[in-house]
Amino acid sequence: METKKGVLTEIIFHNDENGYTIADMETDDELLTVVGNLSSAAKGTCFELTGTFKTHPRYGEQFVFTEAKEVLPTSRAGIEGFLASGIIKGIGPKTAGAIVAKFGEETLQIIEKQPERLCEVSGIGSKKADVIAASFAEHREFADVSLFFQGYGVSAAQTLRLYKGYGKDAVSLIQENPYRLADELYGFGFRRADEVAARMGVAPDSPFRIQSGIRYGLMSYVSDGSTFVPQEVLCEKVAQILDLTREQVKDELVNMAFTGDVQLDTIRDEQVVYLYSYYLAEQKVCRNLVAIAHGDLKAPAADIKRSIEMTEKSTGLHLSEKQKSAVLRAVTSGISVITGGPGTGKTTIINTIINVFEESGFKAAIAAPTGRAAKRITETSGHYASTIHRLLEYYYSEGMDEMQFGKNAEDPLDYDVVIIDEASMIDLLLMQSLTEAIRPGTRLILVGDSDQLPSVGAGNVLTDIIESGMIQTSRLTEIYRQAEESMIVVNAHRINHGEYPTLNGRDTDFFFMERSSEKEIQRLITELVTRRLPAYYGVDSVGEIQVLSPTKKGPVGTVELNGILQEACNPASPDAAEKKFGDHVFRTGDKVMQIRNNYQMEWKIPGVAQSGQGVFNGDVGFIQAIDNEYGSLTVLYDDERYVQYDFSQLDELELAYAVTVHKSQGSEFPVVVMPVSWFPPMLATRNLLYTAVTRGKRIVVLVGSENRMRAMIDNDRIRLRYSGLQDRLGRMMEFEETDIGKEESVWDDRDV
């Protein structure tokens, strides 16, 4: 191993994610190409690198380093180059020259220990001097933190997150408890923290390790949708992960219960463990639902029967007696649920309910969990719908340094009625925030298809509410006459009932195309998207056709399909700018999806000079421009909203030529194409296929093995989610029963 000390004279390549750097370095007597990981790399900075020379078959001799220590320059030229690099805020090349001309080789000592003297330089005032001093101190602190953690294999990007989270205390805090990496900082997993802890000499039976392992075990179940875990199941799993005994895990679990990190409880005579936030959420949702259900309701002034008749005349649709009953129950109840599959008239019922309330002068709000779902409701119902987050006025609180809801128990929603569509997508924590913002006396109407996939987040909210038997529920099973003409609707209901769909009839909108191998499936899907469907139906191959897949991985998963479809629909060309980010290549014209909620992201509508904030998980748009010089990428959403991403934010985007069925929830597409092949049993389920089919509005095409499709329909195993809401709600509602009596106060018409 050799050590080389010099100044970086040219940055050939630097990856901000992992710190991988290729640069030219000038030492006292040679010019080197150096390769390795640097947390920050800027032209003019000085490093002491430890490594060995290796010969690259294409690029020749390189100095490959494994350790790097930033050192401050001592010569006037070195100091000026360092300051002129832009790494210190408030100093550019001109200011750097002026400072060094004034203080010479003492410049860095002046900045560090006597920053007020910077005001002796023309053009620098006290505020600018403070900025320079603070930036220099931060840079030195980060260099020290980076040097320490590189010895433990922590990547450059992770080191930066550490420093942002803990500042100069990062080293001491992580030395005290390395499991803070997993427990408190986003982007570190337990396995990674465990490796760092082992290098630091933390004992395998350390309480820090066991507690972090318990949190990791609980969070793995939360990620799969559960709100609690049976105690014996959790202890067994964590003991296997840590290679310890169940008794050691159980002892530490009891200690965590005493400190309030977890909550021990009994559900259906079984000892269970909650992360405390989810235990509290279940308690609050139950209490809130009970309060809303028993609130004093303002009676509508309108004649409900006449309002129904007016809706029928204006829409040309006739409501059945059972659908009229569903309207009546929604209008007269504190809380009600309307559930049913496609074509059963949910939208017509919502419109009828709104008409009743509007005639009575009631204020009604309509919302859905996602932006795409809200937009679809607005288009189909004619009434404005927002996201639940926007309804609750989600905002960033600078004082709390976190996102919060403006509408809550202290400042509730000012509506007489709140209607939530696509309610199957609501997870427990969102339901907590929603119900806290609804005051008793406000009607809450939940509309959704309980047979679709449950929420991505933890909880089984809609199904638990229905199955508790304590909330008035209207189940719609009758298909409207107009919907009966669609084989998409008919086959969706057949799939949901465990029956095989009718395939490839004349004048149909539902097709199955048999292919035996995954390569053949890939080729046919590409051909359908790029040529056959656009030619026959006149649809746009990218804008109106959506490929769905049950999984991200494998030959017919979204990752590989996106690469294939990108090259087929939007191939590389000299006219299309590109940006490589991780494993993705983003290209002008690409179809992309926002994969997490970002409520601070700004958007603009240039033609009307309108702007706002908020881009949401599941929003789909098209890349309009990529500016590699300034490091930005612009996406157009909904054909009107322009959003500019800094390159550092590109982890919020994915290609969207193909998306998972889970990501498609709440959306409708003119044409849906889906591969049907072997998938893991937990994904190859009836309700996943049902959810995918119900996303198609005009055409649905399944490509693959009919036997695999039939196996999916036969697989009615819904992935087990541990949830206590149903049991807890049932017990709480029984306790709160009013003088009306249970038989009169509970409606669950399973035949509606």
Side-chain angles (χ1 to χ4, degrees):
M1 300 286 281
E2 298 182 56
T3 298
K4 299 290 182 180
K5 179 181 176 182
V7 176
L8 301 185
T9 57
E10 194 68 43
I11 308 300
I12 300 170
F13 176 81
H14 178 72
N15 187 322
D16 290 329
E17 292 183 83
N18 56 25
Y20 182 73
T21 303
I22 303 173
D24 287 338
M25 170 186 271
E26 185 177 347
T27 70
D28 289 339
D29 51 15
E30 60 185 328
L31 181 65
L32 308 171
T33 297
V34 297
V35 178
N37 292 318
L38 294 175
S39 298
S40 61
K43 186 177 177 180
T45 50
C46 185
F47 283 92
E48 187 175 275
L49 307 178
T50 301
T52 58
F53 281 100
K54 294 184 180 180
T55 301
H56 190 280
R58 183 175 177 183
Y59 299 109
E61 190 176 61
Q62 299 175 333
F63 186 73
V64 179
F65 62 89
T66 55
E67 295 181 16
K69 177 183 178 181
E70 184 180 350
V71 293
L72 293 177
T74 55
S75 68
R76 292 172 66 99
I79 294 170
E80 184 173 343
F82 169 72
L83 294 179
S85 69
I87 205 166
I88 305 300
K89 293 179 182 177
I91 300 180
K94 184 177 179 181
T95 304
I99 295 174
V100 174
K102 175 68 177 177
F103 300 114
E105 294 174 356
E106 296 182 350
T107 294
L108 299 183
Q109 289 88 340
I110 295 292
I111 294 175
E112 182 178 14
K113 297 178 179 179
Q114 297 176 284
E116 68 279 0
R117 289 194 59 194
L118 290 171
C119 296
E120 298 174 20
V121 178
S122 176
I124 298 180
S126 59
K127 288 185 178 180
K128 189 171 183 178
D130 290 341
V131 169
I132 293 171
S135 180
F136 180 77
E138 183 177 307
H139 178 74
R140 296 304 302 147
E141 286 172 0
F142 178 64
D144 292 340
V145 170
S146 178
L147 178 64
F148 175 83
F149 283 108
Q150 76 175 358
Y152 295 99
V154 179
S155 74
Q158 290 172 329
T159 301
L160 183 58
R161 280 197 291 271
L162 267 170
Y163 182 73
K164 286 182 176 179
Y166 299 126
K168 64 181 180 180
D169 298 324
V171 172
S172 61
L173 288 172
I174 300 306
Q175 282 180 315
E176 176 190 352
N177 176 13
Y179 292 95
R180 290 178 186 271
L181 293 170
D183 298 339
E184 298 177 7
L185 291 176
Y186 173 77
F188 288 87
F190 171 78
R191 306 277 188 184
R192 188 74 190 88
D194 206 29
E195 291 174 5
V196 173
R199 290 190 183 189
M200 289 184 173
V202 176
D205 61 351
S206 161
F208 288 136
R209 182 171 188 257
I210 299 174
Q211 289 187 17
S212 185
I214 290 171
R215 292 188 193 95
Y216 172 65
L218 281 169
M219 281 306 301
S220 68
Y221 280 95
V222 167
S223 298
D224 283 339
S226 294
T227 59
F228 69 78
V229 189
Q231 183 172 304
E232 291 303 317
V233 172
L234 177 66
C235 289
E236 178 66 28
K237 176 169 182 172
V238 174
Q240 290 178 357
I241 293 170
L242 302 180
D243 195 22
L244 298 173
T245 67
R246 282 184 293 176
E247 287 68 29
Q248 288 174 299
V249 174
K250 191 174 292 186
D251 289 345
E252 206 56 53
L253 186 64
V254 172
N255 291 334
M256 292 176 73
F258 276 118
T259 60
D261 287 346
V262 301
Q263 178 70 38
L264 305 182
D265 199 8
T266 302
I267 299 291
R268 294 182 286 277
D269 300 323
E270 185 175 31
Q271 294 294 312
V272 303
V273 185
Y274 283 86
L275 284 170
Y276 187 73
S277 58
Y278 286 93
Y279 172 78
L280 189 64
E282 275 193 0
Q283 295 274 15
K284 287 187 174 182
V285 167
C286 285
R287 283 199 294 268
N288 295 338
L289 290 175
V290 170
I292 297 167
H294 293 110
D296 293 329
L297 302 178
K298 182 169 64 174
D303 184 317
I304 299 174
K305 182 178 179 181
R306 189 175 64 83
S307 293
I308 291 174
E309 291 173 351
M310 289 177 60
T311 301
E312 289 178 319
K313 288 180 181 178
S314 64
T315 62
L317 300 174
H318 177 71
L319 273 67
S320 69
E321 290 303 316
K322 292 177 180 178
Q323 289 167 330
K324 293 176 183 177
S325 178
V327 173
L328 177 63
R329 294 174 182 182
V331 171
T332 58
S333 305
I335 302 177
S336 60
V337 174
I338 300 170
T339 183
T344 55
K346 296 191 297 294
T347 300
T348 301
I349 289 174
I350 290 174
N351 288 339
T352 306
I353 291 169
I354 294 173
N355 288 343
V356 172
F357 288 128
E358 285 183 344
E359 283 190 45
S360 300
F362 285 13
K363 289 178 63 179
I366 312 174
T370 68
R372 288 184 65 83
K375 182 181 178 183
R376 184 174 60 79
I377 296 162
T378 301
E379 292 170 348
T380 57
S381 72
H383 297 280
Y384 172 75
S386 72
T387 63
I388 296 174
H389 283 81
R390 193 173 295 281
L391 176 70
L392 299 182
E393 299 179 7
Y394 207 46
Y395 73 102
Y396 176 73
S397 169
E398 292 188 2
M400 300 295 291
D401 192 26
E402 63 181 17
M403 301 300 296
Q404 292 187 329
F405 288 106
K407 292 299 179 182
N408 48 43
E410 287 71 38
D411 184 15
L413 292 167
D414 185 23
Y415 291 99
D416 301 301
V417 186
V418 175
I419 301 171
I420 304 296
D421 202 359
E422 297 290 353
S424 64
M425 300 173 66
I426 302 177
D427 62 33
L428 181 67
L429 297 183
L430 182 56
M431 192 65 175
Q432 176 189 347
S433 298
L434 173 65
T435 55
E436 283 183 343
I438 297 177
R439 59 190 174 197
T442 300
R443 291 166 172 83
L444 174 60
I445 302 169
L446 302 174
V447 184
D449 187 347
S450 60
D451 292 317
Q452 286 189 23
L453 292 171
S455 60
V456 175
N460 208 19
V461 173
L462 182 63
T463 298
D464 279 354
I465 288 174
I466 293 171
E467 295 302 322
S468 74
M470 296 292 155
I471 302 297
Q472 299 197 44
T473 300
S474 298
R475 297 177 183 265
L476 308 175
T477 58
E478 182 181 349
I479 304 175
Y480 261 102
R481 177 173 49 80
Q482 292 89 339
E484 288 178 342
E485 299 172 2
S486 167
M487 289 308 299
I488 295 175
V489 172
V490 172
N491 281 337
H493 284 273
R494 289 181 66 87
I495 291 168
N496 195 34
H497 296 148
E499 302 169 7
Y500 303 141
T502 301
L503 302 178
N504 303 335
R506 293 187 61 184
D507 301 321
T508 186
D509 53 8
F510 187 101
F511 300 91
F512 191 94
M513 305 183 76
E514 185 80 27
R515 289 296 184 273
S516 58
S517 74
E518 291 181 323
K519 286 297 180 185
E520 289 178 321
I521 293 173
Q522 286 181 350
R523 282 194 291 269
L524 180 54
I525 287 177
T526 304
E527 186 180 346
L528 286 167
V529 171
T530 58
R531 188 175 63 83
R532 293 171 65 168
L533 289 169
Y536 193 83
Y537 292 101
V539 292
D540 178 69
S541 61
V542 178
E544 296 180 283
I545 301 175
Q546 184 61 59
V547 177
L548 304 180
S549 177
T551 182
K552 288 187 174 183
K553 300 177 181 179
V556 292
T558 59
V559 173
E560 193 159 336
L561 286 174
N562 268 317
I564 293 169
L565 292 170
Q566 181 189 44
E567 288 308 307
C569 299
N570 188 31
S573 76
D575 298 326
E578 292 184 355
K579 168 61 181 174
K580 190 176 189 307
F581 185 83
D583 295 330
H584 301 297
V585 173
F586 293 112
R587 187 173 296 141
T588 305
D590 274 340
K591 184 179 184 179
V592 292
M593 174 183 281
Q594 173 81 12
I595 60 172
R596 66 175 65 109
N597 290 332
N598 187 330
Y599 298 94
Q600 294 177 279
M601 182 75 81
E602 293 187 3
W603 53 261
K604 296 179 180 179
I605 304 177
V608 294
Q610 185 179 346
S611 63
Q613 289 183 311
V615 186
F616 303 104
N617 185 6
D619 282 355
V620 173
F622 294 87
I623 297 177
Q624 299 296 297
I626 297 175
D627 192 327
N628 284 297
E629 182 178 351
Y630 289 95
S632 66
L633 179 152
T634 303
V635 178
L636 175 63
Y637 290 103
D638 304 322
D639 295 326
E640 60 176 8
R641 293 183 301 140
Y642 287 85
V643 177
Q644 188 174 88
Y645 292 79
D646 185 85
F647 280 172
S648 64
Q649 298 172 300
L650 295 186
D651 60 345
E652 298 188 16
L653 290 176
E654 285 183 355
L655 293 175
Y657 299 96
V659 301
T660 63
V661 177
H662 273 95
K663 285 288 188 183
S664 73
Q665 284 182 268
S667 303
E668 278 188 350
F669 310 99
V671 181
V672 163
V673 179
M674 176 177 159
V676 180
S677 182
W678 182 90
F679 300 112
M682 68 180 65
L683 296 175
T685 61
R686 181 188 302 173
N687 69 333
L688 185 140
L689 180 60
Y690 170 74
T691 302
V693 169
T694 56
R695 300 307 91 206
K697 190 174 182 181
R698 183 177 170 191
I699 303 292
V700 169
V701 185
L702 305 181
V703 179
S705 165
E706 185 174 344
N707 287 335
R708 292 291 184 191
M709 178 194 69
R710 292 187 172 207
M712 290 183 76
I713 295 169
D714 293 339
N715 181 9
D716 195 26
R717 292 178 298 170
I718 296 175
R719 194 171 187 177
L720 176 64
R721 287 190 172 203
Y722 296 114
S723 171
L725 184 62
Q726 175 184 338
D727 182 73
R728 208 177 295 281
L729 183 60
R731 285 188 278 123
M732 193 173 291
M733 289 289 278
E734 286 178 350
F735 182 76
E736 294 286 338
E737 272 305 311
T738 63
D739 295 336
I740 299 174
K742 182 176 179 181
E743 292 302 318
E744 294 180 11
S745 65
V746 178
W747 301 28
D748 184 358
D749 189 342
R750 297 179 183 270
D751 296 321
V752 173

